Amino acid sequence: RSCAARLSYRTNYTKRESQEESSRKRGTMVVGVATHKATRFATERRRGVGSLPLAHCCDSCSCGHLRVATRRRDLRREERRRGRHSAALRVRARGNEEDKEQGGGGGFVLDFNEETSKEKKTARRTVVVEEYEGEGNKYKNKNKTGVSSQSSPSNGEEGIVAKEQEEEEDGLFDIYDEEGEGGEGQGGGGDNAAAPAAALKKTTSSSMTTSSFKASMEGGGEGGIAGTVVGLAVVAASLGAVWKRNVIMEKLFSGGGGGGGGGGGDRSSTIADKDREKDERRWKQEARGRLNEMCAELKNYKQVDLSSRNLGSEGCAYVSTALAFNDVCEVVDMSKNGIGTEGILALCEALENNLVLSEINLEGNAVGDEGASGLAELLRNRQNITSINLNGNNIADEGAKSIAEMLSFNTELTKMDLGNNVIDYDGAVALANGVSQNSSLKVLNLSGNYLGGLGAKALSEGLKENTMIEELYINGNDIGDEGAEQLMKSVLGSKQPLRKLDLSNSGISQAGIVSLCEYLKSKDCKLEWLSLYMNDVSSGGAIEIAEAMKVNTSLDHLDIGGNNIGFDGVKAIAEAIKENQGITTLEMGYNPLSKEGASILAEQMKFDAKIKTLRLGWCKLGADGGQAIADALRFNETIGTLDLRGNTLGDKGVSAISQSLKIVGLEGLSQLDLGYNEIKDDGAFALAQAMKANPEGAATSINMSNNYITKMGKTALEEAASMVNEFTGKEVSIQY
């Protein structure tokens, strides 16, 4: 610090002036910049950019510090205090003789000299005032806060003085040609080394005006362009902003071709531009790093999850290179990445050289018909892929036709998901033809398309010839009673080994259920999972299903929720459960069962049922219905998941259930859903007491969301959960 003090606050002006003069004679650098900038200058000198010799901090010091003079701002302030006019530091760009012969400007020496010539300063100000008078007779001075102040031409010199004072505070360098003001270059054959300085003449604004820059370029010709480029590079290096140098060079090269009048542009950027460019560079660097990490995962792991990474088409093309000739990765998930056609085609090209990948998930992208055609061509040639998910990819009939043609040749694909696309009747006909000729496909998902009754009928014709499909998801296609009837007849007549069938939200009424029940009653029926959620079966259809359940022995999962089933329907289902010993999951939510239906169902479940999962959400049970379910829980030992959401149980119903949960030995219940039941603190206290009384039988997952429980009730439940964990080691999760 003592060295810096001697450098920054010398009291003997004469001694300092003599030292600076001796430094200039030796060629040393005295510049108001920080030490790290001077170090960078030395590096550039070694690379041939400039010749900037360095010295120790003073003549008598051997500490090895680089000599750093006082800042230009402090020099001018000190000179003003001594009564002298502020001296400006000028940058003189001087090329060697070889550069002059080549018309270039490389290898410059920076000389920082004090301008003491009053004539030069007056001439400079005169030129600047004339330039501003030629541009609308307005002098604009933008201060640091971004507010522009205007003055008349007569006050131009005062504005320039104010601008110089502002530059003194900022510590910026002025750029000026000490060897002339462009006179040698205006003749067209002058010295090219002087052209950069003439082109870089600094006006009172922070950047050159377009008119002054073009005038200098016209005087310098092609050599002026080259010199300007180098001059700008030198200034950028002195300011220590590499990004600004790159922007200026790019602008110059883009606009400086041809004759001497072109080129130029603004040398400075706004703060917003700087921040935007900085953010963009940082974003690109981070994105490149993340992509490299994804590629490393693909090369080292058998199963890789790249879902929801915002890859896009470009990112997919980048990552796909890691899949080419990859002999490690077998399963990859690239769902929900916004991958378009270009990315899919790049992926297909990479997978042409992959013999290991077996499963790929592209759900939620933008594959489209063209991308689907590319994937179909890939699957036709490369049959190592056994599962592909194209759910929600905007695939229409044309893409479905390409996929159907592939199915006629592929003999390895076992699972294909085309749900939530825009496949219509024509696509359904093509897929039916492909399915009829395929001998490997076991899982087909066509849910959420636009097949309709006619499309379902066409698909049923293809299913007659296929004997391999085990899972068929055709929900959300509005096939209606006619489509359901044709579909079930084809399955029944072909001895299809169907194990899972999803007909939810298909517009099926009681008339369409008849053919389904005939299939359920047949000896060839192997159906294990059936969903009729959100149709219009009603109580009459529920009675038909109950009759089939008494005969069927294969069904394990039955979902008849949202079908407007009333008391008569639930009564028939309850009697069928007594005789059917195979069903373990029963979903009857969104049906108006009321407390009477809940009582009948609970009575049958006390001793006879084998049900493990019971879902009765939004069934209008009320507190009395909750009491009936609580009575069943006292004796039932199989129910592990109980869903009672939206039944307005209140504190009374929850208290009844809590009393049943206190029974020691009842350990089957693991998941309890009591959301949307208008439960208050009393119900929460009762449930907490049950958990403390029977920690072994406490559920590990309890949903109490959307109730009226305050902080006191939540605290009681949390304390009970902590006690259960302490006694049994079970982690109890409670959602509010």
Side-chain angles (χ1 to χ4, degrees):
R1 183 171 179 82
S2 60
C3 295
R6 287 199 300 272
L7 290 172
S8 302
Y9 303 102
R10 293 183 183 275
T11 57
N12 192 339
Y13 178 79
T14 305
K15 181 179 179 181
R16 185 197 62 193
E17 188 177 22
S18 62
Q19 287 182 347
E20 291 177 350
E21 182 64 22
S22 61
S23 297
R24 284 195 292 271
K25 291 180 180 179
R26 294 195 305 268
T28 55
M29 182 186 69
V30 183
V31 56
V33 293
T35 303
H36 69 278
K37 294 185 179 180
T39 306
R40 188 178 71 250
F41 287 161
T43 303
E44 293 180 349
R45 180 196 59 181
R46 290 193 295 269
R47 294 177 180 176
V49 176
S51 178
L52 304 175
L54 304 176
H56 296 292
C57 58
C58 60
D59 295 337
S60 60
C61 179
S62 60
C63 61
H65 290 288
L66 297 177
R67 178 171 184 174
V68 181
T70 56
R71 295 177 65 88
R72 175 171 173 244
R73 177 182 57 192
D74 298 329
L75 287 173
R76 289 196 171 184
R77 288 178 178 175
E78 184 178 353
E79 300 215 347
R80 282 199 298 270
R81 286 196 301 267
R82 293 177 176 274
R84 297 181 57 181
H85 193 278
S86 62
L89 292 177
R90 305 304 178 198
V91 178
R92 182 173 52 138
R94 183 175 70 251
N96 53 33
E97 296 297 330
E98 182 179 355
D99 294 329
K100 292 181 181 180
E101 294 177 0
Q102 296 178 355
F108 282 86
V109 179
L110 296 183
D111 292 338
F112 297 83
N113 300 321
E114 294 184 0
E115 180 190 75
T116 57
S117 175
K118 194 170 184 179
E119 291 79 6
K120 286 186 178 181
K121 187 174 299 185
T122 304
R124 171 176 175 270
R125 291 185 176 179
T126 304
V127 172
V128 171
V129 173
E130 289 177 356
E131 287 179 353
Y132 278 98
E133 287 178 351
E135 295 179 3
N137 293 332
K138 292 182 179 180
Y139 175 76
K140 298 181 180 180
N141 180 22
K142 193 168 186 178
N143 56 26
K144 295 181 181 179
T145 59
V147 181
S148 299
S149 60
Q150 299 182 0
S151 61
S152 61
S154 60
N155 296 330
E157 188 165 343
E158 297 178 0
I160 294 172
V161 174
K163 185 64 179 182
E164 287 183 352
Q165 293 177 357
E166 180 181 350
E167 290 178 351
E168 292 173 10
E169 295 176 357
D170 293 339
L172 299 177
F173 295 105
D174 289 339
I175 305 165
Y176 191 73
D177 180 17
E178 294 183 356
E179 295 184 356
E181 306 194 4
E184 295 180 0
Q186 292 177 0
D191 190 359
N192 290 330
L200 295 176
K201 184 186 299 182
K202 176 136 180 93
T203 60
T204 56
S205 62
S206 63
S207 63
M208 293 185 298
T209 61
T210 304
S211 60
S212 62
F213 187 85
K214 287 184 177 181
S216 62
M217 295 293 289
E218 290 176 357
E222 296 182 355
I225 299 176
T228 303
V229 172
V230 178
L232 287 178
V234 173
V235 174
S238 67
L239 293 175
V242 177
W243 64 267
K244 185 175 180 180
R245 177 182 60 191
N246 294 335
V247 171
I248 294 174
M249 295 291 285
E250 181 179 356
K251 290 182 179 180
L252 288 176
F253 279 117
S254 61
D266 192 359
R267 297 190 302 107
S268 62
S269 301
T270 62
I271 297 177
D273 292 337
K274 298 176 184 177
D275 294 340
R276 183 167 54 253
E277 292 171 1
K278 187 182 299 182
D279 293 340
E280 183 178 356
R281 288 196 303 273
R282 183 172 63 251
W283 178 85
K284 288 182 178 179
Q285 185 177 3
E286 294 175 356
R288 191 179 298 108
R290 289 194 297 268
L291 289 174
N292 290 332
E293 291 177 359
M294 297 178 197
C295 292
E297 291 181 20
L298 291 172
K299 294 177 181 179
N300 294 288
Y301 299 100
K302 290 185 176 181
Q303 297 184 4
V304 180
D305 184 2
L306 300 181
S307 60
S308 304
R309 302 289 186 92
N310 196 24
L311 287 176
S313 295
E314 295 180 357
C316 178
Y318 188 94
V319 172
S320 298
T321 58
L323 289 173
F325 304 101
N326 188 312
D327 57 353
V328 176
C329 186
E330 298 178 359
V331 180
V332 60
D333 184 355
M334 301 178 70
S335 60
K336 301 176 183 177
N337 275 296
I339 303 173
T341 302
E342 296 180 357
I344 294 298
L345 295 179
L347 177 64
C348 294
E349 184 178 355
L351 293 180
E352 286 287 348
N353 301 304
N354 187 298
L355 300 176
V356 177
L357 189 68
S358 60
E359 296 183 19
I360 182 169
N361 186 356
L362 296 172
E363 179 184 358
N365 288 294
V367 174
D369 289 341
E370 187 177 353
S373 300
L375 288 170
E377 186 67 21
L378 171 69
L379 294 174
R380 183 173 179 175
N381 299 327
R382 291 293 183 189
Q383 299 193 14
N384 53 290
I385 297 178
T386 59
S387 174
I388 185 169
N389 187 346
L390 296 174
N391 194 301
N393 274 282
N394 198 31
I395 299 174
D397 290 341
E398 294 300 323
K401 291 178 182 178
S402 301
I403 293 174
E405 184 179 357
M406 174 270 300
L407 290 175
S408 302
F409 297 92
N410 190 291
T411 58
E412 297 295 333
L413 189 65
T414 59
K415 182 178 180 180
M416 182 170 63
D417 190 342
L418 294 174
N420 297 303
N421 285 291
V422 288
I423 302 174
D424 211 327
Y425 172 74
D426 293 337
V429 172
L431 287 173
N433 185 33
V435 168
S436 64
Q437 302 180 45
N438 186 273
S439 59
S440 62
L441 196 63
K442 294 182 179 181
V443 180
L444 177 61
N445 185 1
L446 294 173
S447 61
N449 283 285
Y450 300 94
L451 304 186
L454 295 176
K457 184 178 180 180
L459 185 62
S460 63
E461 295 296 328
L463 291 175
K464 289 180 180 180
E465 306 295 331
N466 187 292
T467 59
M468 295 297 296
I469 291 182
E470 298 179 357
E471 300 180 17
L472 179 62
Y473 303 90
I474 197 173
N475 54 295
N477 277 281
D478 197 20
I479 63 175
D481 294 335
E482 183 179 359
E485 184 178 357
Q486 293 293 331
L487 193 63
M488 298 316 301
K489 284 182 178 180
S490 66
V491 174
L492 183 61
S494 64
K495 297 182 180 182
Q496 189 75 236
L498 202 61
R499 300 185 182 277
K500 288 187 177 182
L501 178 62
D502 191 350
L503 294 174
S504 60
N505 195 21
S506 294
I508 302 173
S509 64
Q510 182 179 351
I513 292 296
V514 177
S515 59
L516 174 61
C517 291
E518 291 179 1
Y519 175 67
L520 291 174
K521 293 176 182 179
S522 67
K523 295 181 180 180
D524 297 328
C525 178
K526 298 180 181 179
L527 199 62
E528 300 174 357
W529 191 95
L530 175 63
S531 177
L532 295 170
Y533 180 74
M534 285 297 171
N535 282 291
D536 194 16
V537 173
S538 70
S539 295
I543 295 174
E544 295 286 345
I545 294 173
E547 293 297 325
M549 288 172 59
K550 294 178 181 180
V551 180
N552 184 277
T553 58
S554 63
L555 202 60
D556 176 74
H557 178 108
L558 178 62
D559 186 355
I560 52 176
N563 276 281
N564 196 28
I565 299 174
F567 176 76
D568 295 335
V570 70
K571 181 179 179 181
I573 295 294
E575 293 176 356
I577 289 174
K578 184 177 180 180
E579 298 184 20
N580 185 294
Q581 299 298 318
I583 294 180
T584 59
T585 300
L586 178 62
E587 299 191 21
M588 295 190 66
Y590 298 94
N591 284 303
L593 303 184
S594 70
K595 62 179 182 180
E596 291 81 5
S599 299
I600 294 176
L601 187 62
E603 190 67 25
Q604 296 295 333
M605 290 173 54
K606 285 184 179 180
F607 305 103
D608 301 326
K610 302 295 183 183
I611 294 178
K612 297 180 179 180
T613 300
L614 179 63
R615 300 191 183 278
L616 299 174
W618 310 94
C619 288
K620 300 181 179 180
L621 302 183
D624 295 335
Q627 179 67 52
I629 299 296
D631 292 340
L633 291 176
R634 290 175 179 267
F635 304 96
N636 188 285
E637 298 180 356
T638 60
I639 293 179
T641 301
L642 180 61
D643 182 3
L644 297 174
R645 289 174 299 163
N647 282 293
T648 61
L649 299 180
D651 292 339
K652 182 179 178 181
V654 174
S655 298
I657 294 174
S658 300
Q659 290 297 323
S660 298
L661 295 178
K662 284 184 178 180
I663 299 176
V664 178
L666 182 63
E667 302 178 4
L669 192 64
S670 60
Q671 296 183 11
L672 179 62
D673 196 338
L674 297 173
Y676 298 93
N677 271 296
E678 301 180 4
I679 303 172
K680 298 180 181 179
D681 286 343
D682 291 340
F685 294 152
L687 186 60
Q689 290 297 326
M691 294 170 61
K692 293 180 179 179
N694 184 19
E696 295 290 341
T700 56
S701 177
I702 303 175
N703 182 16
M704 303 290 289
S705 61
N706 294 282
N707 286 293
Y708 304 120
I709 303 175
T710 64
K711 186 176 181 180
M712 296 178 62
K714 294 179 181 179
T715 302
L717 289 172
E718 294 295 338
E719 290 178 354
S722 299
M723 195 192 78
V724 170
N725 184 28
E726 183 179 353
F727 278 90
T728 65
K730 294 193 300 185
E731 293 288 342
V732 180
S733 174
I734 304 176
Q735 293 83 34
Y736 299 103

